[in-house]
Amino acid sequence: MFEPEKLKEVLDPRRQGYERTINVINYLATHDRERVFRELGDRGIFDENAFKRAKLGAVLLMTAMGTPMLWMGEEFGEHKRKSETVTQPKKIAWSLLERDLNRDLFEYYKKFIALRQQNPALQSDNIDFFHENRDTKVLAYVRWNEEGSRVVVVVNFSEQNLSGYGIPHFPCAGRWHEWTGNYDVEVEEDSIVIDIEPNHAKVFVWQ
């Protein structure tokens, strides 16, 4: 179910009553709940579809306000059930990195960790949700800082491929770099038209 208000509360913890984002730790999985791939599997989502959703989660985690936390092996698709007791830990399956999909997820995380470290917009307390479409299940937001750094995230939470999808009120015209696909795009005036796959996010970085 697409619940944009709950998503906004996660992406902007001030909506939950936190005074500053440095007080917030964001995560997709912890020792208190099952791993992402285990929860996806319990819902009948496996293989490429599971990795696609894991990548979507990575984008949200790394572009949200607050501090991101990764639980052991999450960055390459560890899927074991959590240990029942702390005295019986389960070793991380490092051999998963030998698989193409797992290695690709690992590189995806590395890419977004680098973006978060390098771009001041993702280290700020600024976020604006400038586009929301409940019918198509699309949400777009911008992170920025006062010196002019900007990162725009457009997320398609639906199972539908959106071709020629228009997004009005884009933060500004000019050249942007799409981070997930590694290409440049020129935005004219204050709108952009994109193609976006199901359960996928595009991340535009101001050049």
Side-chain angles (χ1 to χ4, degrees), residues 129-144:
F129 301 96
F130 66 91
H131 178 75
E132 175 186 326
N133 189 323
R134 291 175 179 267
D135 293 331
T136 56
K137 299 182 180 179
V138 172
L139 182 68
Y141 54 94
V142 57
R143 300 285 313 278
W144 80 95

Side-chain angles (χ1 to χ4, degrees), residues 5 10 41 72 75-76 115 117 140 150 156 195 197 202:
E5 294 308 315
V10 173
M72 306 167 292
E75 68 276 20
F76 56 82
L115 175 63
Q117 291 176 332
R150 296 183 181 90
N156 177 9
D195 298 331
E197 301 171 12
K202 287 186 177 292

Side-chain angles (χ1 to χ4, degrees), residues 97-152:
L97 284 169
E98 298 173 6
R99 302 178 182 180
D100 290 343
L101 287 173
N102 297 80
R103 184 72 192 182
D104 183 56
L105 177 62
F106 181 62
E107 294 299 328
Y108 200 77
Y109 262 104
K110 286 172 59 177
K111 188 173 184 176
F112 275 94
I113 290 171
L115 175 63
R116 187 178 179 91
Q117 291 176 332
Q118 297 166 9
N119 197 295
L122 297 179
Q123 301 165 25
S124 74
D125 280 350
N126 301 320
I127 188 169
D128 180 35
F129 301 96
F130 66 91
H131 178 75
E132 175 186 326
N133 189 323
R134 291 175 179 267
D135 293 331
T136 56
K137 299 182 180 179
V138 172
L139 182 68
Y141 54 94
V142 57
R143 300 285 313 278
W144 80 95
N145 74 347
E146 285 70 19
E147 286 70 41
S149 294
R150 296 183 181 90
V151 175
V152 167

Side-chain angles (χ1 to χ4, degrees), residues 17-103:
Y18 289 97
E19 184 175 350
R20 298 194 62 193
T21 57
I22 59 172
N23 302 124
V24 179
I25 303 296
N26 296 318
Y27 56 86
L28 300 176
T30 70
H31 63 280
D32 290 325
R33 59 182 297 168
E34 294 292 353
R35 297 181 181 278
V36 170
F37 278 82
R38 178 59 60 178
E39 292 197 357
L40 288 170
D42 288 344
R43 290 166 172 77
I45 302 171
F46 302 99
D47 303 322
E48 291 187 10
N49 285 332
F51 280 91
K52 180 179 290 188
R53 285 165 173 79
K55 284 184 174 182
L56 177 56
V59 173
L60 296 173
L61 179 65
M62 291 299 165
T63 61
M65 299 169 70
T67 302
M69 181 190 76
L70 296 178
W71 192 31
M72 306 167 292
E74 178 182 340
E75 68 276 20
F76 56 82
E78 177 61 271
H79 58 272
K80 290 191 185 78
R81 289 199 180 277
K82 67 178 182 179
S83 300
E84 293 300 323
T85 67
V86 295
T87 59
Q88 297 177 323
K90 294 182 179 179
K91 294 182 179 180
I92 297 175
W94 296 103
S95 59
L96 289 172
L97 284 169
E98 298 173 6
R99 302 178 182 180
D100 290 343
L101 287 173
N102 297 80
R103 184 72 192 182

